[in-house]
Amino acid sequence: IELTQSPGTLSLSPGERATLSCRASQSVSNNYLAWYQQKPGHAPRLLIYHAYSRATGIPDRFSGSESGTDFTLTISRLEPEDFAVYYCQQYGASPLTFGGGTKIDIK
Amino acid sequence: EVQLVESGGTFVQPGRSLRLSCVASGFSFDDYAMHWVRQPPGKGLEWVAGINWDSFLVHYADSVQGRFTISRDNARNSLYLQMERLRPEDTAVYFCAKDKGGSVFFYFDSWGHGTPVTVSS
């Protein structure tokens, strides 16, 4: 399953809303889709799993949604620590696959 | 606290072999599936291989099938990646990642810091 993330880069200011898209090439079984955040020089961190569920310790400004093969990560109000790269990943079928990533940078 | 510590990454010539290791602590290693995920310099994430808790289920990305072998030693809380016939395009940071599940593959809820592999002549 190929995952296409858009946009490639999102330029926003702190306090603004961020909407990141991840489109699957085919249906993702059971909405088995996760979102990760990665900062330079660090390992990725799990944010969302099963398309909607927040991982332990993740603030509620992060939310996930889905509509068919389209998945969305929304950050309601950007905090300074949210500027990073975000990846979606599907685990509904093997091989597991990642999207190409969306970078949120400071406008 | 879950800890995953990778080692074994280095500079290697094309065609050579390399073995990566990941030592786990802070959880019951033999209850969970484990994976290797890599990230080429300046690029995105690529899942490489996964192995379930009892090594019965093993899957690979097409790009490494037949060249890489994932294995685990539950007695040593360790995960391995044997890499053969290395190519320049295998150059990446290799992350060890813990799966949320045990028998089948789900998402990655903990990651190591990664070990860098450079394949070049």
Side-chain angles (χ1 to χ4, degrees), chain A residues 8 38 40 53 59 61-62 73 75 79 84 91 106:
Chain A
Q38 188 180 31
S53 300
R61 63 180 181 273
F62 291 91
L73 174 70
I75 310 172
E79 297 288 341
Y91 47 99
I106 300 177

Side-chain angles (χ1 to χ4, degrees), chain A residues 44-67:
Chain A
R45 177 176 72 144
L46 175 68
L47 300 174
I48 300 285
Y49 61 93
H50 294 350
Y52 296 91
S53 300
R54 269 188 304 277
T56 303
I58 301 304
D60 60 7
R61 63 180 181 273
F62 291 91
S63 64
S65 63
E66 65 82 27
S67 177

Side-chain angles (χ1 to χ4, degrees), chain B residues 22-58:
Chain B
C22 169
V23 177
S25 60
F27 65 103
S28 296
F29 182 75
D30 54 7
D31 281 341
Y32 293 94
M34 298 292 295
H35 302 266
W36 290 99
V37 176
R38 69 185 181 183
Q39 186 168 37
K43 296 190 177 181
L45 301 168
E46 180 189 17
W47 175 78
V48 173
I51 185 168
N52 78 336
W53 69 276
D54 64 359
S55 303
F56 183 79
L57 180 67
V58 175

Side-chain angles (χ1 to χ4, degrees), chain A residues 1 8-9 19 21-23 26 32 35 38 41 50-52 57 63 65 72 78 89 94 96 98 103:
Chain A
I1 298 175
T9 303
T19 302
S21 173
C22 174
R23 174 166 290 178
Q26 58 187 273
Y32 279 171
W35 290 92
Q38 188 180 31
H50 294 350
Y52 296 91
S63 64
S65 63
T72 301
L78 283 165
Q89 176 240 334
S94 186
L96 308 183
F98 287 92
K103 180 180 180 181

